mmCIF file of all heavy atoms in Angstrom:
data_model
loop_
_atom_site.group_PDB
_atom_site.id
_atom_site.type_symbol
_atom_site.label_atom_id
_atom_site.label_comp_id
_atom_site.label_asym_id
_atom_site.label_seq_id
_atom_site.Cartn_x
_atom_site.Cartn_y
_atom_site.Cartn_z
ATOM 1 N N LEU A 103 128.230 175.318 43.880
ATOM 2 C CA LEU A 103 126.849 175.249 44.368
ATOM 3 C C LEU A 103 126.639 176.153 45.572
ATOM 4 O O LEU A 103 125.637 176.879 45.664
ATOM 5 C CB LEU A 103 126.512 173.788 44.724
ATOM 6 C CG LEU A 103 126.407 172.821 43.548
ATOM 7 C CD1 LEU A 103 126.163 171.403 44.051
ATOM 8 C CD2 LEU A 103 125.291 173.256 42.603
ATOM 9 N N LEU A 104 127.594 176.115 46.515
ATOM 10 C CA LEU A 104 127.472 176.980 47.691
ATOM 11 C C LEU A 104 127.554 178.451 47.306
ATOM 12 O O LEU A 104 126.821 179.291 47.855
ATOM 13 C CB LEU A 104 128.586 176.639 48.693
ATOM 14 C CG LEU A 104 128.415 175.342 49.482
ATOM 15 C CD1 LEU A 104 129.637 175.087 50.354
ATOM 16 C CD2 LEU A 104 127.161 175.409 50.348
ATOM 17 N N ALA A 105 128.438 178.775 46.355
ATOM 18 C CA ALA A 105 128.568 180.179 45.941
ATOM 19 C C ALA A 105 127.280 180.678 45.292
ATOM 20 O O ALA A 105 126.854 181.817 45.538
ATOM 21 C CB ALA A 105 129.741 180.314 44.974
ATOM 22 N N LEU A 106 126.651 179.835 44.465
ATOM 23 C CA LEU A 106 125.388 180.247 43.842
ATOM 24 C C LEU A 106 124.306 180.457 44.888
ATOM 25 O O LEU A 106 123.476 181.365 44.782
ATOM 26 C CB LEU A 106 124.943 179.180 42.835
ATOM 27 C CG LEU A 106 125.810 179.044 41.574
ATOM 28 C CD1 LEU A 106 125.372 177.844 40.761
ATOM 29 C CD2 LEU A 106 125.744 180.311 40.741
ATOM 30 N N PHE A 107 124.328 179.605 45.927
ATOM 31 C CA PHE A 107 123.353 179.757 47.001
ATOM 32 C C PHE A 107 123.597 181.024 47.819
ATOM 33 O O PHE A 107 122.649 181.765 48.142
ATOM 34 C CB PHE A 107 123.406 178.519 47.913
ATOM 35 C CG PHE A 107 122.686 178.684 49.207
ATOM 36 C CD1 PHE A 107 121.311 178.809 49.250
ATOM 37 C CD2 PHE A 107 123.393 178.732 50.405
ATOM 38 C CE1 PHE A 107 120.642 178.973 50.454
ATOM 39 C CE2 PHE A 107 122.738 178.900 51.609
ATOM 40 C CZ PHE A 107 121.361 179.019 51.636
ATOM 41 N N LEU A 108 124.871 181.286 48.125
ATOM 42 C CA LEU A 108 125.182 182.439 48.971
ATOM 43 C C LEU A 108 125.193 183.755 48.210
ATOM 44 O O LEU A 108 125.241 184.821 48.827
ATOM 45 C CB LEU A 108 126.558 182.229 49.632
ATOM 46 C CG LEU A 108 126.631 181.068 50.622
ATOM 47 C CD1 LEU A 108 128.051 180.881 51.121
ATOM 48 C CD2 LEU A 108 125.691 181.314 51.803
ATOM 49 N N ASN A 109 125.171 183.704 46.882
ATOM 50 C CA ASN A 109 125.176 184.925 46.087
ATOM 51 C C ASN A 109 123.770 185.513 45.967
ATOM 52 O O ASN A 109 123.418 186.121 44.969
ATOM 53 C CB ASN A 109 125.730 184.636 44.677
ATOM 54 C CG ASN A 109 126.109 185.898 43.941
ATOM 55 O OD1 ASN A 109 126.679 186.818 44.525
ATOM 56 N ND2 ASN A 109 125.795 185.950 42.652
ATOM 57 N N GLN A 110 122.982 185.315 46.962
ATOM 58 C CA GLN A 110 121.626 185.857 47.001
ATOM 59 C C GLN A 110 121.570 186.952 48.056
ATOM 60 O O GLN A 110 122.376 186.986 48.980
ATOM 61 C CB GLN A 110 120.606 184.759 47.358
ATOM 62 C CG GLN A 110 120.755 183.483 46.555
ATOM 63 C CD GLN A 110 120.430 183.671 45.093
ATOM 64 O OE1 GLN A 110 119.558 184.468 44.746
ATOM 65 N NE2 GLN A 110 121.123 182.952 44.226
ATOM 66 N N SER A 111 120.641 187.832 47.897
ATOM 67 C CA SER A 111 120.424 188.882 48.902
ATOM 68 C C SER A 111 119.194 188.523 49.718
ATOM 69 O O SER A 111 118.169 188.123 49.166
ATOM 70 C CB SER A 111 120.237 190.243 48.222
ATOM 71 O OG SER A 111 119.155 190.175 47.315
ATOM 72 N N GLY A 112 119.358 188.609 51.010
ATOM 73 C CA GLY A 112 118.238 188.284 51.876
ATOM 74 C C GLY A 112 118.613 188.521 53.325
ATOM 75 O O GLY A 112 119.782 188.764 53.666
ATOM 76 N N PHE A 113 117.628 188.426 54.194
ATOM 77 C CA PHE A 113 117.866 188.678 55.613
ATOM 78 C C PHE A 113 118.786 187.597 56.201
ATOM 79 O O PHE A 113 118.557 186.400 56.012
ATOM 80 C CB PHE A 113 116.530 188.684 56.369
ATOM 81 C CG PHE A 113 116.686 188.865 57.852
ATOM 82 C CD1 PHE A 113 117.002 190.107 58.397
ATOM 83 C CD2 PHE A 113 116.546 187.777 58.713
ATOM 84 C CE1 PHE A 113 117.151 190.269 59.756
ATOM 85 C CE2 PHE A 113 116.692 187.939 60.085
ATOM 86 C CZ PHE A 113 116.996 189.189 60.603
ATOM 87 N N GLY A 114 119.840 188.025 56.893
ATOM 88 C CA GLY A 114 120.749 187.095 57.557
ATOM 89 C C GLY A 114 121.732 186.399 56.648
ATOM 90 O O GLY A 114 122.462 185.511 57.088
ATOM 91 N N MET A 115 121.790 186.801 55.339
ATOM 92 C CA MET A 115 122.693 186.116 54.425
ATOM 93 C C MET A 115 124.159 186.344 54.789
ATOM 94 O O MET A 115 124.998 185.473 54.592
ATOM 95 C CB MET A 115 122.412 186.579 52.994
ATOM 96 C CG MET A 115 123.100 185.739 51.939
ATOM 97 S SD MET A 115 122.763 183.973 52.083
ATOM 98 C CE MET A 115 121.065 183.919 51.492
ATOM 99 N N ARG A 116 124.486 187.527 55.325
ATOM 100 C CA ARG A 116 125.868 187.777 55.724
ATOM 101 C C ARG A 116 126.288 186.836 56.849
ATOM 102 O O ARG A 116 127.426 186.347 56.887
ATOM 103 C CB ARG A 116 126.040 189.237 56.167
ATOM 104 C CG ARG A 116 125.963 190.215 55.010
ATOM 105 C CD ARG A 116 126.312 191.609 55.469
ATOM 106 N NE ARG A 116 126.330 192.551 54.352
ATOM 107 C CZ ARG A 116 126.617 193.820 54.477
ATOM 108 N NH1 ARG A 116 126.916 194.338 55.675
ATOM 109 N NH2 ARG A 116 126.624 194.607 53.421
#
Side-chain angles (χ1 to χ4, degrees):
L103 291 176
L104 285 176
L106 291 173
F107 167 67
L108 294 175
N109 195 41
Q110 312 293 326
S111 57
F113 177 75
M115 191 54 73
R116 289 187 176 181

